[in-house]
Amino acid sequence: MEETNVNVVTSQTEEKQYSSIRYAWGAICAFFGLSTRTHRASKKRAKLVADIVTYAVLLFGAFIMVYPFWWMVAGSFALTNIRGTGNDILNRMVWWPSISTFNAELNPEGGFRNYAEVFNKAFPRIATGFTFWRALVNNLLYSIVPVFVGVITSASAAFSFAKINWFGRNAVFYFLLAAIMVPGPSIMVSQFVMYDQLGWRTNGLVLVIPGMFGSIMTAFFIRQFLFGLPTSIIEAAKIDGAGYFRIFCGFILPLAMPAIMAQGILSFMGCWNNYMGSFIMIPKGEWINLPHAIQLMEDSGNGAYSGDFGVVIAGSVICIVPVMILFGCFQNLIIGSLMLTGSKE
Amino acid sequence: MEEVTVIETESDVVNSAAVAEEQIPQKKQRKPINQQKLQDNLWGWAFCVPLIIGTVWFVYIALVMALMLSFTNYTLNRGSMMEYLGNFSQNIVKDPATGAASPFYWYKEAFTYEIGTTYKMNEMGAHLFNTVFYMIGIPIGMVLSMFFAVCMSRDIKGGNIFRVLYYLPCVASTISIVYTFKILFETTGVINQLLNIDLNWLQLTGNEAETWNSLNNTNKEGAFYNDPYWCQGLFQKIVIIVMQVWKGLGGTIILYVAGLSGVNAATKEAAQIDGANGWQIFWKVTMPDLYPVIFYNIVTSVIGGMQIYMEPVLLFKENYMTSGYVSLIWRYGLNGLSASQARGAAYGMILAVIIFVLTMFQFYLDGRKKD
């Protein structure tokens, strides 16, 4: 009893020693949720302040992350073919596509002049007979066909690795997994020679056929997902007389659809944005894909739009919009799949 | 008589009966089991065949061929690669000085080829310097993404929306991002106006003769005779680093958010009751739990960072001051008709070895930490 009394007394005396400035400072700190020796902030207040700070930080970060895209959309309407006005717009923090650009006198084609240029005029300058629609069809071909077939072959391999017991399974699995250690650029040259001599470079097959054999990472992730499925389903199907092919088509594909979709969309995005593949493997001509075409558009030697940058930005927007829409539709699935990767490792 | 002596006790009888019971069904089931195993093996291989063929063909065979190519003097106009490599022993690259076969000619060339006049520098070393310089972005990105991930994993409303917004740059095509940054970082561009400075972010410093940007010009010898190599093109590299961090942040944040949600809440609470503050809890409880995710992130970022190629080349074209290592492979192996595929393959093999050694070194450090 005595000891506690003493403690209380000393603490009181200590408190009394603080100057009034210190008290005021403590009060201000407590208002902002920080406890000091003079004042103790309430937990509610501390949480509120922390939440507000968190929101502010996250909103600031989100602004930095998203604003360049909005700037791009706004800037794509800048009429850079008219000296002065258009380039001014590109040099500002644009919040909205500028109204002055829709001046009909300055620009007979209207506010969408850059997009009209991309759709109609820009691509034939790269190669004769080449159009925007051709580039778009190429891009769709390079991203839909290999991804669709490749995801199915990857899923079948994943099913085999996860649910079927066969001789040499683990050895084969690690043999395949070791292939991801090989960096792409270091085998780029021999792949280039190989594709060149197979004749795949001049007809676009180079970006189609290798992808159709599936990818190891995709197979790996789907395998991880399949481990979570109960084997009893397969056993039951086997007892009912279903063969493995039937099991794969009837059970595994529908059940693993979330993982397959997520991996498929991720690789679709990768293929859609695959500038490097087209740049290295496909010679300048009618088989190049959309990002490569935009790069050639910007290149002063070929397309001569480097001084008219609004057109290039418009092309970039066209290139980004499909993946953005796709990501917006499937963001839950994609982010969930990526989170799964993070928690598994 | 013998049977009688063997079966003496009750337990023996039971045992023998059990043995007999085991044996009988085994004999009956032997055939169906084999059938099942046959099916398993057949279908197991059949489902894997496409992936195995693809991997072997496009990775392993390509790797072996690249390795063999790097010892030869192959170029595309020498005809079929398979035939050329078939006569491997005759086609080993010859040293032009001596005329004798020297299989490691391209490797020696890579390690000894020097550029510049006053400040001599190994060409490969210059590109490696650039590549490693860009890796400054990895720790910056890790700290930033950890910060944002901790913010997002507080129990606030709308954390998911932020996750999606931060992931947007990862989805976008590199080419669009590069062109956007190209205008944002112009001399009269948005960044300079915001910072109220007049900095030349995108043009390489000095006169062209003084810089290493001589690839498009003929005066290769006139390169960089004024400044030491490392201080040329610093701002250009900073632009690349900013772009890399900005583009890669979202993916890392998602990894960390996933890792943070897996941190044991009970341990955290226990630490809190014991009087640890938030900072201590973060370092002593959260970080050790997050270690595997961080390690995975470091390994993948270093592997990816060694392969940087597109961003500097798209922004600044090929040059000695900003291009990453991979542009050597492109420049010598793939650039036009005059390219020597053999030399490019040699550069590729060196890259593979560097990445392998770096990865193994990280795993070695990881193993030492666990001990």
Side-chain angles (χ1 to χ4, degrees):
Chain A
M1 280 300 285
E2 276 181 22
E3 275 180 26
T4 51
N5 274 334
V6 167
N7 272 339
V8 165
V9 168
T10 49
S11 69
Q12 276 174 353
T13 50
E14 268 175 25
E15 270 181 29
K16 276 173 189 172
Q17 281 166 5
Y18 293 128
S19 67
S20 54
I21 296 170
R22 188 84 186 265
Y23 263 104
W25 173 243
I28 292 167
C29 283
F31 181 75
F32 288 111
L34 292 168
S35 298
T36 50
R37 281 194 193 165
T38 50
H39 291 73
R40 179 163 295 240
S42 76
K43 273 201 168 168
K44 232 179 179 179
R45 178 54 64 85
K47 173 139 176 37
L48 182 72
V49 169
D51 276 1
I52 290 170
V53 170
T54 313
Y55 270 121
V57 165
L58 285 178
L59 278 174
F60 179 71
F63 173 73
I64 288 174
M65 288 289 159
V66 175
Y67 180 69
F69 293 111
W70 178 242
W71 182 88
M72 220 164 138
V73 173
S76 70
F77 291 96
L79 298 174
T80 41
N81 57 334
I82 301 158
R83 289 280 152 211
T85 56
N87 286 312
D88 274 358
I89 291 161
L90 284 185
N91 288 336
R92 272 190 279 127
M93 294 262 293
V94 197
W95 299 105
W96 203 252
S98 179
I99 295 163
S100 71
T101 58
F102 294 112
N103 192 333
E105 281 177 33
L106 282 171
N107 189 53
E109 284 165 302
F112 290 92
R113 175 257 169 192
N114 289 338
Y115 288 94
E117 197 82 6
V118 171
F119 286 131
N120 301 326
K121 291 183 194 158
F123 283 56
R125 289 199 199 181
I126 297 164
T128 45
F130 191 61
T131 60
F132 169 78
W133 306 108
R134 180 60 198 271
L136 195 68
V137 168
N138 282 350
N139 227 26
L140 286 173
L141 174 78
Y142 296 154
S143 37
I144 288 174
V145 176
V147 166
F148 185 75
V149 181
V151 159
I152 289 174
T153 46
S154 306
S156 74
F159 166 55
S160 156
F161 284 129
K163 295 290 178 197
I164 306 178
N165 265 317
W166 44 281
F167 182 72
R169 183 179 72 166
N170 285 345
V172 169
F173 180 70
Y174 287 116
F175 173 72
L176 292 185
L177 206 60
I180 60 172
M181 290 283 291
V182 180
S186 47
I187 53 174
M188 206 160 69
V189 174
S190 58
Q191 279 178 337
F192 176 85
V193 178
M194 204 191 275
Y195 298 143
D196 190 73
Q197 288 172 357
L198 286 166
W200 291 355
R201 278 184 64 222
T202 46
N203 52 16
L205 286 179
V206 59
L207 292 184
V208 176
I209 291 184
M212 285 165 69
F213 287 93
S215 111
I216 306 144
M217 288 314 279
T218 311
F220 182 72
F221 288 131
I222 298 174
R223 171 178 170 268
Q224 296 295 95
F225 184 86
L226 287 180
F227 275 139
L229 290 183
T231 318
S232 51
I233 300 171
I234 294 163
E235 301 287 335
K238 261 193 234 169
I239 289 165
D240 287 348
Y244 275 119
F245 188 72
R246 181 93 185 274
I247 292 172
F248 176 65
C249 295
F251 291 90
I252 298 298
L253 280 184
L255 284 173
M257 204 35 99
I260 293 173
M261 281 288 280
Q263 290 300 319
I265 290 163
L266 279 174
S267 36
F268 176 87
M269 287 168 178
C271 288
W272 181 273
N273 297 333
N274 187 4
Y275 163 69
M276 200 171 168
S278 175
F279 168 67
I280 283 167
M281 296 300 177
I282 297 184
K284 201 179 90 180
E286 54 179 359
W287 283 102
I288 61 176
N289 67 6
L290 198 54
H292 191 188
I294 290 163
Q295 189 261 324
L296 289 176
M297 220 159 78
E298 192 268 348
D299 209 335
S300 53
N302 302 292
Y305 275 106
S306 59
D308 192 359
F309 224 89
V311 182
V312 179
I313 295 288
S316 304
V317 170
I318 292 170
C319 192
I320 273 187
V321 161
V323 269
M324 287 291 176
I325 291 170
L326 200 67
F327 177 66
C329 295
F330 293 100
Q331 43 93 5
N332 252 333
L333 200 67
I334 294 167
I335 297 219
S337 150
L338 290 167
M339 298 266 286
L340 204 68
T341 337
S343 54
K344 275 272 158 58
E345 287 299 330
Chain B
M1 281 301 286
E2 277 178 38
E3 279 180 325
V4 175
T5 50
V6 167
I7 302 167
E8 277 181 6
T9 59
E10 257 186 296
S11 62
D12 271 3
V13 175
V14 172
N15 278 345
S16 63
V19 167
E21 259 181 0
E22 273 175 19
Q23 276 172 350
I24 292 161
Q26 263 184 4
K27 271 177 189 171
K28 276 182 186 170
Q29 280 180 2
R30 190 159 285 163
K31 263 194 174 174
I33 284 172
N34 273 352
Q35 192 67 31
Q36 187 59 46
K37 271 192 173 171
L38 186 73
Q39 286 280 321
D40 280 359
N41 275 308
L42 269 178
W43 281 105
W45 279 100
F47 277 127
C48 277
V49 157
L51 190 61
I52 294 172
I53 291 176
T55 311
V56 169
W57 186 4
F58 298 120
V59 179
Y60 284 117
I61 291 180
L63 181 68
V64 171
M65 279 183 166
L67 185 66
M68 285 170 82
L69 273 185
S70 68
F71 298 128
T72 64
N73 201 5
Y74 182 76
T75 57
L76 260 188
N77 52 22
R78 280 177 206 263
S80 162
M81 175 169 70
M82 297 302 279
E83 280 176 29
Y84 193 83
L85 292 180
N87 302 326
F88 181 70
S89 56
Q90 295 159 29
N91 287 326
I92 287 175
V93 60
K94 292 178 178 63
D95 198 328
T98 58
S102 69
F104 290 98
Y105 178 75
W106 294 125
Y107 294 91
K108 272 183 220 153
E109 186 78 7
F111 281 102
T112 55
Y113 186 72
E114 287 195 331
I115 41 175
T117 47
T118 319
Y119 293 97
K120 277 208 178 288
M121 177 108 181
N122 179 265
E123 191 191 26
M124 193 178 78
H127 286 84
L128 277 177
F129 175 83
N130 297 338
T131 312
V132 174
F133 195 95
Y134 293 137
M135 285 190 196
I136 293 172
I138 296 174
I140 295 171
M142 277 173 60
V143 171
L144 274 179
S145 51
M146 179 63 82
F147 176 69
F148 284 122
V150 170
C151 285
M152 276 179 211
S153 53
R154 286 173 55 86
D155 53 342
I156 53 170
K157 275 177 189 169
N160 295 358
I161 298 166
F162 284 119
R163 229 153 49 195
V164 172
L165 291 182
Y166 281 62
Y167 195 68
L168 277 183
C170 298
V171 172
S173 130
T174 313
I175 207 130
S176 316
I177 288 171
V178 163
Y179 289 145
T180 309
F181 269 67
K182 193 169 186 170
I183 309 178
L184 289 177
F185 280 90
E186 285 278 328
T187 325
T188 53
V190 174
I191 300 289
N192 270 356
Q193 285 183 20
L194 281 182
L195 301 175
N196 205 7
I197 48 173
D198 192 22
L199 192 63
N200 210 345
W201 293 97
L202 296 177
Q203 263 79 51
L204 293 158
T205 49
N207 300 323
E208 271 197 282
E210 290 170 357
T211 66
W212 286 29
N213 191 15
S214 52
L215 216 87
N216 298 322
N217 306 317
T218 44
N219 57 340
K220 229 175 194 175
E221 287 304 305
F224 75 108
Y225 50 49
N226 264 342
D227 293 325
Y229 169 68
W230 61 268
C231 62
Q232 292 193 30
L234 269 184
F235 292 111
Q236 286 72 31
K237 284 175 194 159
I238 287 170
V239 172
I240 299 285
I241 290 171
V242 168
M243 197 159 78
Q244 291 277 89
V245 169
W246 182 76
K247 191 167 170 22
L249 207 58
T252 327
I253 285 176
I254 286 177
L255 273 185
Y256 286 165
V257 167
L260 283 169
S261 66
V263 171
N264 196 345
T267 329
K268 252 187 197 171
E269 211 164 306
Q272 215 163 15
I273 289 162
D274 286 349
N277 60 26
W279 192 246
Q280 284 169 327
I281 291 175
F282 178 72
W283 283 105
K284 299 274 163 65
V285 180
T286 313
M287 279 307 253
D289 268 22
L290 268 182
Y291 177 74
V293 177
I294 294 171
F295 179 69
Y296 168 79
N297 183 29
I298 291 175
V299 170
T300 48
S301 338
V302 167
I303 292 176
M306 284 304 296
Q307 299 177 22
I308 185 169
Y309 169 64
M310 257 159 59
E311 289 89 347
V313 168
L314 281 173
L315 267 181
F316 308 116
K317 303 268 185 308
E318 301 262 338
N319 63 64
Y320 296 130
M321 295 195 298
T322 56
S323 294
Y325 183 90
V326 177
S327 67
L328 279 176
I329 301 173
W330 182 82
R331 196 182 302 157
Y332 288 115
L334 301 167
N335 183 12
L337 293 170
S338 60
S340 156
Q341 270 71 30
R343 192 173 179 185
Y347 278 113
M349 288 300 104
I350 294 170
L351 176 69
V353 170
I354 291 171
I355 288 178
F356 184 76
V357 168
L358 276 179
T359 313
M360 285 300 118
F361 180 65
Q362 288 169 41
F363 275 100
Y364 164 74
L365 289 182
D366 179 45
R368 264 187 32 163
K369 188 181 175 292
K370 273 177 189 159
D371 286 343

